[in-house]
Amino acid sequence: MDRVRTSLLEALTADPDLQERAARALAADGDRAPLTLRKAGVDPDLAAAALTLADLRGHARAKFGERADRLYFTRAGLEQATRWPVAVRRAARFAAASTHVTDLCCGLGTEALAFAEAGLEVAAVDLSEETAAFARANAAAAGLRVEVRVGDALGTPLSGAAFADPARRSGAGRNFNPADYSPPLDALLEHLSGARFAAVKLGPGIGHEWIPAGAEAEWVSVDRDVVEACLWLGEAARVKRRASVCKAGEWHELTGSGEERAEVGAVAAYLYEPDGAVIRAGLVAELAAGLGAHTASGQIAYLYADDLTATPFARAWKVEEVWPLHPKKLKALLAERGIGRLTIKQRGTGIDPAALRKQLKLKGDGEATLVATRIGEAHAAILCSEV
C-alpha cells in the first residue's frame, strides 16, 4: 500500500495543474467532484488522491495558513502535525542552541521545515517509506534543504540536538497510553538522553508521572486551545514547568515548580478561569500570586480576587450573585431576572451542563454565565458576566 500511495504522491507532485483542477472541482461541485475529474480523463485513483489532497489542504489552513496550499498531507499526519506558529517558536529555541538537529519520527516533515527556515541543518527520519516521501515532497515544495531518510528512531545515532514527535495513532485509533506510542515513550526518552539538547512533543493529556527527573515540561495553548505538551531534555531544560500561551499571535510564558498550591478563601468580586495550559502545567498558584487571587476550594482551578487584573493567562468574569446549586431554585431565580441565554460552566460538581440547561427551561432576553463549582465542600452556582 505504501508503494501505491507513494506512486500517487509522485504523480501529484509532477502535475500542479491537476492539483489546481481538483481544488476548483471540489469547491464548485462538492460530492460530484470525482465525476468531474473522471469525465476529464483523470484516472480514478489519481482523481481521488488529488481531491483528498485538496480537502486536506483546506483543513490544514487552520494550522499552516496559506502555506498549506502548497504542502502535501495525509489525514493522520495532518492531525498530529504541529501548528506552524508553535513549530516556528520551537525551532527558534533549537536554533539558539545548535546548528543542526535530528528530527526523529518526522511525519510529514512540517516541523523539519520550521527547523530549516530557522537556519538549522536538518536530518529527518521516519520509519514509514510513504511518510518519508511526503516529508521529501514538502521540503521540495517549500524550497528548503532537508535530508529525509527511512529509519528507526531508536536506532538513529544522536549528536548535538534532537527532536521527536512519536506517533500517537495506530490502526485502532488514537493511543492515550505513552507506552503504546510508536516508538514507546519510555524507550524514546532513554534514547534521547544521549543528546545534548533535546525535546519530545506529546499530547496535552500526558500524565505528570511520565516527566523525567530534570526535564522541563511545557504545555502550549493557542487562542485558549491546549494543543500540545513538550518535554525539554538535557541542556534544553530551563525550568520545571512552563505554560506557553499564544493569544492573538503574541506569546506569553508562565513558569514555576508546578508544586505550589494557591491559598483558599471566599468568593470575591471577580472570578478567573486559568488557561488550560496553566492548569495542566500545575501553575495555578503562580498565576494566583500574580493576580493577588485565591481559590475557593483547594481542588478547583477557579481563582477569585477583589481587583480586576488584565492577564493573558486567564479569562475573567464579574461575580454578580452566588446561589446554592439547586436546579429548581436556579430555575426560579433565572426566570425572575429574565435570563434566556445562559452559558453554563462547571468544574468539580459532576453536573451535566446540557442536562441542567433542560431543567432550567430558560426564558427571557437577558444573557449571563452560570458557573457551577464548589465553595469549600459545598456545591454552588455563581452568576457572573464576562469582562
Side-chain angles (χ1 to χ4, degrees), residues 165-257:
D165 185 4
R168 296 183 291 280
R169 295 191 68 88
S170 66
R174 185 176 300 177
N175 291 322
F176 294 98
N177 183 353
D180 295 330
Y181 290 176
S182 180
L185 181 55
D186 49 359
L188 181 59
L189 289 173
E190 182 178 354
H191 185 54
L192 288 172
S193 66
R196 175 182 60 83
F197 185 102
V200 54
K201 174 189 166 185
L202 302 168
I206 187 72
H208 284 219
E209 68 273 13
W210 284 92
I211 302 173
E216 172 187 323
E218 176 189 30
W219 276 263
V220 180
S221 73
V222 178
D223 295 328
R224 299 176 181 169
D225 181 17
V226 185
V227 296
E228 67 170 65
C230 184
L231 298 182
W232 296 88
L233 311 168
E235 294 179 10
R238 299 174 183 171
V239 296
K240 287 193 69 173
R241 301 289 184 269
R242 186 187 306 271
S244 297
V245 173
C246 183
K247 186 176 181 181
E250 185 175 349
W251 285 99
H252 309 268
E253 295 185 355
L254 183 66
T255 61
S257 69

Side-chain angles (χ1 to χ4, degrees), residues 262-327:
E263 293 184 1
V264 179
V267 173
Y270 295 95
L271 179 154
Y272 294 88
E273 181 182 31
D275 186 274
V278 173
I279 295 173
R280 290 180 183 270
L283 298 176
V284 172
E286 283 81 353
L287 175 59
L291 296 174
H294 55 266
T295 66
S297 179
Q299 304 302 314
I300 307 298
Y302 286 133
L303 297 174
Y304 303 88
D306 289 324
D307 299 315
L308 179 63
T309 303
T311 175
F313 300 112
R315 297 171 68 184
W317 285 263
K318 187 177 188 313
V319 173
E320 306 290 351
E321 300 186 63
V322 182
W323 301 323
L325 186 56
H326 296 153

Side-chain angles (χ1 to χ4, degrees), residues 16 34 57 75 126 134 153-154 200 217 282 284 318 366 370:
R57 282 175 169 172
R75 203 165 298 279
D126 199 274
F134 273 84
L154 300 182
V200 54
V284 172
K318 187 177 188 313
L370 187 76

Side-chain angles (χ1 to χ4, degrees), residues 148-174:
V148 181
R149 62 178 182 269
V150 177
D152 181 3
L154 300 182
T156 300
L158 300 179
S159 61
F163 171 74
D165 185 4
R168 296 183 291 280
R169 295 191 68 88
S170 66
R174 185 176 300 177

